[in-house]
Amino acid sequence: MNQPKKIETAHISIYYDSAYTYFKGTEEKVVKDNIKYVPNTYIAYIADKNTDKVIELYYKYTGDHLTEKQGEKQEKFIFKMLKSVKF
C-alpha cells in the first residue's frame, strides 16, 4: 500500500494520491508510474485541524490522454481546489 502525500495549511491537512487509471474490460487498472503516464485520477482526504470534520474527494479526468503540460495544469487546479476548502 502506498503512503499518501501530505500538504499542510494553517487550518487543514490534506492527504492525497494520484494515478493513471483505465478499464480493461470490466476490470479497472491502476498505474502508479507518473513518469510514463500522466495521472488522470486523484483521491484526497481533507481534515480540519480544529474539528473532526473531513471531506473525501475523488477526481477523475475522463477525456483523451493528457499531455504532460495538460497534466501539470490539471494538478495545479486540483491543488488550488484542495487548499481552498473551508470548514
Side-chain angles (χ1 to χ4, degrees):
M1 181 166 186
N2 294 331
Q3 288 284 57
K5 296 167 192 79
K6 185 177 181 182
I7 300 172
E8 296 275 344
T9 71
H11 302 286
I12 60 175
S13 297
I14 303 166
Y15 304 89
Y16 72 96
D17 204 357
S18 62
Y20 177 77
T21 63
Y22 66 97
F23 280 91
K24 187 173 184 178
T26 58
E27 185 179 338
E28 185 176 29
K29 301 288 186 177
V30 178
V31 180
K32 298 290 295 177
D33 185 355
N34 290 355
I35 294 171
K36 290 184 180 180
Y37 298 94
V38 176
N40 64 355
T41 304
Y42 289 81
I43 189 162
Y45 182 82
I46 307 159
D48 184 12
K49 291 182 176 180
N50 301 311
T51 68
D52 60 354
K53 296 177 182 177
V54 296
I55 294 173
E56 184 176 13
L57 175 93
Y58 180 80
Y59 175 90
K60 173 134 177 136
Y61 175 81
T62 57
D64 293 333
H65 294 287
L66 292 166
T67 65
E68 190 173 328
K69 187 170 183 102
Q70 290 169 322
E72 289 171 5
K73 188 175 180 180
Q74 172 182 261
E75 190 169 271
K76 284 181 184 178
F77 166 75
I78 291 167
F79 290 150
K80 183 177 180 179
M81 179 177 50
L82 293 173
K83 291 177 182 179
S84 73
V85 171
K86 304 233 185 308
F87 287 90

